[in-house]
Amino acid sequence: MKGIKMVDLKGQYLRIKNEIDAAIQDVLLGTDFIQGAQVKRFAEHLSVYHQGAHVIPCGNGTDALQIAMMALELKPGDEVILPVHTYVATAEVIALLGLTPVFTEVNEETFNIDPHLIKEKITAKTKAIVPVHLYGQCAEMTPIIKMAKEYNLFVIEDLAQAIGAQYTFPTGESKKAGTLGHVGCTSFFPSKNLGAYGDGGAMITTDQALADKMQMICNHGQRIKYHHDIIGVNSRLDTLQAAILNVKLKYLDDYTKRRNKVAGFYDTQLKDVPFIKTPARAPYSTHAFHQYTLRTDGIDRDHFKKYLEEKGVPTMIYYPVPLHLQKAYQRPGFGEGSFPVTEKLSKTVISLPIHTEMSEDELLYICHSIKNYHG
Ligand SMILES: *Cc1c(COP(=O)(O)O)cnc(C)c1O
């Protein structure tokens, strides 16, 4: 079968082409390319989507993390706890601000930071925990929030892969990813669940003062033009991207449903394949299925990947090299063997195509190809 894609941005665009084209045309004719009305409108709509939490759009998801950490006044030497199995952006901004990234092992089933291993990482210098809701499912937030309260730490959620995921506390209270900690940081990179047609990101918080501060930092630390109260950056969401996102936000829940349908199909078809483990569903979170990530068991993952490629089935490895083994993030005392779960995952995970436009024929073909693999 030809033409199976990891993501199908063109197919997704074509279904809403008229609306998108009109929104773009509107911006072109309005020429408010920076800080246009569409940016404010998008922030308001995304705020409604997050039960009224403040939303501050910015240039990209990496900047969102950086601006959040700047606004929380984290200082050089402060330690920030994060999962070692994540995208580099999470660690990058920590290091860039002179803070110390403190890598923590993840749970093999959920791929997310293991809350039981956080406590031993906390020192007098620890200021924040950054749980990443990897592949679209929330990290186990209840013990993380409890620990953060006990040790007076900030919780900065990285929800770049999990926008729309819903977390349920033991009390039965349910909240969206991004509103669980002090601040949530997300990305509108084109292939993310809510993707722009370029870079984009946002911070989400229920704290008004923090929202004001992040808004200032995004725009050179100014509230009034040419009056700079704090040191900021230039990180704004383009009006064009905001106009596109305004259209796409209406479809986000439908997109999530479509992703879940694909995941459900894979679950059913692949659950009895002996050499793979389908992704675990945590009882406390819905899954936004940014990625559908299998763990291989007892086979050569890279050989399996190559076999699928030859069958016309693209796959991706998120992530092939753990952060503590990356040249830029090596730390004294850490090396091969320091994080065995993450190291194992880097050798065994494989993500299948999942997007909003997949056909049943494609899914059947992919599953058939997987079942026919013989090592
Ligand atoms: C995509 C992503 C980011 C960074 O977002 P950008 O918009 O690409 O800067 C950060 N964290 C995670 C987990 C991501 O997947």
Side-chain angles (χ1 to χ4, degrees):
M1 181 176 271
K2 278 211 178 91
I4 300 177
K5 302 182 191 77
M6 278 305 283
V7 286
D8 182 8
L9 298 180
K10 185 174 174 184
Q12 196 188 52
Y13 162 61
L14 290 177
R15 269 199 294 131
I16 53 171
K17 183 175 183 303
N18 290 344
E19 270 183 286
I20 293 277
D21 290 0
I24 291 174
Q25 196 56 233
D26 224 32
V27 176
L28 298 185
L29 293 171
T31 72
D32 278 337
F33 298 119
I34 304 291
Q35 312 275 61
Q38 288 87 343
V39 179
K40 199 159 172 239
R41 217 175 297 148
F42 171 62
E44 283 164 7
H45 291 159
L46 197 61
S47 164
V48 171
Y49 188 81
H50 289 94
Q51 287 87 39
H54 306 278
V55 170
I56 300 97
C58 67
N60 57 69
T62 309
D63 281 359
L65 288 161
Q66 179 181 333
I67 293 160
M69 288 176 202
M70 287 170 75
L72 292 169
E73 296 182 18
L74 302 187
K75 294 280 184 311
D78 288 350
E79 293 176 2
V80 178
I81 292 171
L82 76 157
V84 65
H85 183 62
T86 180
Y87 182 53
V88 68
T90 326
E92 190 173 47
V93 297
I94 295 170
L96 201 62
L97 292 174
L99 316 170
T100 306
V102 177
F103 295 134
T104 303
E105 187 65 287
V106 297
N107 177 297
E108 191 173 351
E109 303 286 327
T110 65
F111 307 108
N112 281 323
I113 193 165
D114 188 335
H116 306 293
L117 300 176
I118 294 177
K119 199 164 183 166
E120 64 198 52
K121 300 279 178 175
I122 297 174
T123 73
K125 289 181 181 169
T126 310
K127 289 287 154 58
I129 307 173
V130 186
V132 179
H133 306 317
L134 204 70
Y135 306 147
Q137 186 167 243
C138 290
E140 192 178 356
M141 294 299 287
T142 307
I144 294 174
I145 292 167
K146 187 163 168 263
M147 225 170 326
K149 278 204 182 113
E150 192 179 335
Y151 292 93
N152 203 18
L153 310 175
F154 294 117
V155 175
I156 304 164
E157 297 174 71
D158 180 340
L159 68 142
Q161 302 189 4
I163 195 162
Q166 189 91 20
Y167 188 89
T168 303
F169 290 92
T171 55
E173 187 192 12
S174 178
K175 287 183 179 178
K176 280 219 167 89
T179 63
L180 305 166
H182 294 88
V183 53
C185 302
T186 197
S187 163
F188 308 121
F189 185 84
S191 61
K192 297 282 157 84
N193 288 23
L194 178 60
Y197 296 162
D199 277 312
M203 288 79 70
I204 305 168
T205 184
T206 52
D207 180 334
Q208 170 84 60
L210 185 62
D212 286 348
K213 203 158 172 191
M214 292 192 293
Q215 184 76 65
M216 283 172 74
I217 292 173
C218 281
N219 195 21
H220 300 296
Q222 63 191 352
R223 210 185 310 266
I224 302 162
K225 206 167 170 133
Y226 305 127
H227 293 73
H228 308 278
D229 297 347
I230 49 180
I231 295 172
V233 297
N234 174 6
S235 183
R236 298 169 298 221
L237 182 68
D238 283 354
T239 308
L240 263 174
Q241 300 306 338
I244 290 157
L245 289 166
N246 252 328
V247 174
K248 291 186 77 178
L249 178 57
K250 288 188 290 184
Y251 299 100
L252 177 58
D253 285 341
D254 176 54
Y255 290 162
T256 307
K257 262 191 218 133
R258 286 166 178 265
R259 288 176 176 279
N260 270 274
K261 215 170 145 193
V262 172
F265 192 101
Y266 281 143
D267 279 352
T268 311
Q269 290 280 321
L270 302 177
K271 68 176 190 304
D272 296 325
V273 179
F275 56 86
I276 55 179
K277 292 196 177 83
T278 55
R281 312 293 188 96
Y284 44 75
S285 175
T286 65
H287 207 315
F289 277 107
H290 177 59
Q291 299 298 341
Y292 187 89
T293 303
L294 299 172
R295 286 178 293 148
T296 58
D297 187 12
I299 57 165
D300 179 339
R301 189 266 320 268
D302 296 331
H303 183 269
F304 178 53
K305 180 175 170 47
K306 207 158 156 255
Y307 158 85
L308 288 175
E309 219 161 86
E310 280 160 11
K311 293 269 172 198
V313 178
T315 58
M316 290 290 277
I317 308 302
Y318 303 110
Y319 298 93
V321 182
L323 288 182
H324 69 289
L325 301 178
Q326 296 281 358
K327 225 190 236 171
Y329 296 94
Q330 280 172 15
R331 306 184 54 76
F334 291 94
E336 198 84 45
S338 297
F339 297 100
V341 174
T342 293
E343 288 167 31
K344 184 177 167 195
L345 288 176
S346 72
K347 294 186 185 87
T348 54
V349 291
I350 182 163
S351 299
L352 299 181
I354 189 165
H355 56 76
T356 57
E357 313 302 314
M358 290 192 80
S359 70
E360 193 155 317
D361 281 352
E362 288 178 320
L363 288 169
L364 276 169
Y365 176 80
I366 293 168
C367 293
H368 185 74
S369 303
I370 291 172
K371 287 177 192 167
N372 277 336
Y373 180 68
H374 298 296

